[in-house]
Amino acid sequence: MIEHLPSDWRKAKLLGRLMSREGPTPVLVLDGRLIDVSVIGPTTSFFLSAWDGTLPQGRDLGPLENFEFRRRWEGGGGVRLLAPVDLQCIKACGVTFAVSAVERVIEERAHGEAGRAEAIRQALCDRVGAELRSVKPGSPEAEKLKQVLTSDGLWSQYLEVAIGADAEVFTKAPCLSSVGWGDFVGVRSDSVWTNSEPEIVLVCDRNGRALGAALGNDVNLRCFEGRSALLLGKAKDNNASCAIGPFIRLFDETFGIDDVRRADISLHVEGEDGFELTGSSSMSLISRDPLELVAQTMGVHHHYPDGVALFLGTMFAPVEDRDATGRGFTHHPGDIVRISTAKLGVLENKVTRCDLAPAWEFGLGDLMCNLAARGLLAPEKVRQ
């Protein structure tokens, strides 16, 4: 597990959750040691709402190296690391990079059929991709480009959110449904064109303060979304289709929003069939600033009293052929997916079918009952 932490993890403040004998437990990694902070904040949402940079006095569990964090598919003993978010609403931004905008237009025009994608890609990439990279969303120049592309018959609902004034923000998954490092990620058995989407996830408190970041996998079914944008919920929100981790790195003097803005995120997929795929996504190429995306997500029109975990989008859409020429990339069960960047570490998961992934059975009611039984729901502990 140590090799999957940030390169400077001994200097970082890392907030996470693990499954202890008592139940889901918020923990903080400080100076290389694991601290149980559940008596301060019984959930990471509560902890972040009270976070002011002051180091908390939790229960010291010992050096992090002493803990054996197990991958769920390996079985055996060890500690299971959960997704580091709990009560936060899990939101996601789409089409925040020019490349991803082009790929969404391709999905739309191919009607979700991967075999038709390459011909459309060749026809669109040079013309639309170059134009999109040159304008700021919502600007007068973007409006002029919209008029030109509309007259050329190239306009799309995806281009509207790529260069228009309003960003695409959607609900990715219910609270508590995301999986963490070392867990399975799920793709539907009736999907034939599936991708992992490597992203940074900004974690905000109830007041809209961006307090830290983690890595995320916004698993997507391109064949569903390509058939109709109204199938976005079915393409995005499925059993085990959202992974976040391994920890939330809290903003401090060693890591801040500028590190998010210039991060390079890598993706590596290793299949049981010997197939390998690598790619990267550079946050420096994002069309909208991360804090602008937060402002469009939280504000006078959208209140989230338990905070938000916000996926910022990706520029990476793999097009390498896997099963047949011209059909591009799709996941196979058994794929190991690693998403990484130096200051956030490595999020590692294994692909399975949604119907075969461990069922999501521990919901909000279960969490409240568990915390109450542990004496962690006193008012002074949950609202400071």
Side-chain angles (χ1 to χ4, degrees):
M1 175 61 191
I2 297 298
E3 68 274 13
H4 288 176
L5 294 178
S7 56
D8 59 344
W9 67 276
R10 291 185 182 277
K11 299 179 180 178
K13 298 179 180 69
L14 305 175
L15 178 64
R17 294 168 64 239
L18 55 80
M19 180 58 79
S20 68
R21 289 189 298 271
E22 293 80 17
T25 302
V27 292
L28 196 63
V29 179
L30 288 174
D31 299 321
R33 302 184 71 83
L34 196 64
I35 312 296
D36 177 348
V37 294
S38 60
V39 295
I40 301 163
T43 67
T44 60
S45 168
F46 291 140
F47 181 91
L48 289 171
S49 289
W51 175 249
D52 60 3
T54 304
L55 298 183
Q57 297 298 313
R59 183 164 62 99
D60 190 339
L61 301 178
L64 187 64
E65 296 100 321
N66 291 355
F67 289 82
E68 181 184 355
F69 293 94
R70 67 177 175 89
R71 297 170 176 85
R72 199 161 189 173
W73 57 87
E74 293 175 339
V79 179
R80 184 157 68 91
L81 199 61
L82 304 173
V85 299
D86 39 45
L87 302 185
Q88 295 90 344
C89 188
I90 304 173
K91 309 289 283 190
C93 300
V95 202
T96 53
F97 293 81
V99 171
S100 66
V102 172
E103 285 299 313
R104 293 297 176 261
V105 176
I106 290 166
E107 288 172 12
E108 181 183 46
R109 291 173 180 256
H111 301 292
E113 296 180 24
R116 299 178 57 192
E118 185 57 32
I120 300 170
R121 183 176 293 111
Q122 290 298 319
L124 284 175
C125 276
D126 291 340
R127 173 73 167 93
V128 178
E131 296 279 4
L132 288 181
R133 286 188 291 269
S134 67
V135 299
K136 178 178 174 56
S139 67
E141 291 76 17
E143 180 59 31
K144 290 179 183 177
L145 175 59
K146 174 180 177 178
Q147 294 173 8
V148 171
L149 295 176
T150 300
S151 65
D152 288 350
L154 294 176
W155 193 245
S156 160
Q157 58 196 333
Y158 294 108
L159 297 180
E160 175 66 43
V161 295
I163 66 174
D166 299 309
E168 178 190 14
V169 183
F170 58 92
T171 299
K172 167 62 182 178
C175 300
L176 290 180
S177 69
S178 55
V179 301
W181 175 92
D183 212 330
F184 290 96
V185 288
V187 296
R188 288 174 60 110
S189 59
D190 52 355
S191 177
V192 295
W193 190 10
T194 64
N195 283 182
S196 286
E197 295 189 352
E199 305 187 23
I200 286 182
V201 182
L202 274 187
V203 183
C204 307
D205 72 355
R206 60 186 297 159
N207 297 313
R209 296 185 301 163
L211 297 178
L215 292 168
N217 187 350
D218 178 15
V219 182
N220 186 36
L221 311 180
R222 299 187 68 181
C223 52
F224 277 79
E225 187 177 357
R227 281 164 46 204
S228 170
L230 298 181
L231 293 175
L232 180 65
K234 186 166 285 190
K236 293 287 189 178
D237 181 10
N238 300 288
N239 190 33
S241 66
C242 177
I244 303 174
F247 291 91
I248 300 165
R249 181 164 186 173
L250 298 175
F251 290 155
D252 62 7
E253 66 279 359
T254 70
F255 178 72
I257 191 64
D258 284 338
D259 292 287
V260 171
R261 291 179 174 122
R262 56 177 172 254
D264 292 323
I265 307 151
S266 298
L267 172 72
H268 182 257
V269 178
E270 183 178 347
E272 293 180 340
D273 56 355
F275 177 88
E276 289 196 48
L277 173 74
T278 59
S280 63
S281 182
S282 176
M283 287 295 295
S284 64
L285 299 177
I286 197 168
S287 301
R288 304 178 195 266
D289 186 78
L291 294 185
E292 178 192 343
L293 294 172
V294 172
Q296 291 216 24
T297 303
M298 304 180 71
V300 295
H301 301 293
H302 300 92
H303 293 166
Y304 298 102
D306 295 303
V308 163
L310 181 64
F311 281 75
L312 297 178
T314 184
M315 65 175 287
F316 184 65
V319 298
E320 296 180 30
D321 291 332
R322 182 173 195 176
D323 296 323
T325 301
R327 294 197 60 83
F329 170 80
T330 192
H331 272 307
H332 288 187
D335 284 352
I336 300 295
V337 182
R338 298 183 183 93
I339 295 170
S340 62
T341 191
K343 292 222 167 185
L344 292 176
V346 182
L347 174 61
E348 180 180 270
N349 300 97
K350 187 173 186 176
V351 176
T352 188
R353 285 171 26 189
C354 291
D355 55 318
L356 299 179
W360 175 39
E361 296 179 330
F362 193 89
L364 289 170
D366 299 288
L367 178 61
M368 294 302 105
C369 290
N370 176 268
L371 296 178
R374 294 159 66 182
L376 295 176
L377 286 186
E380 66 273 11
K381 293 180 179 178
V382 300
R383 283 286 179 254
Q384 299 184 30

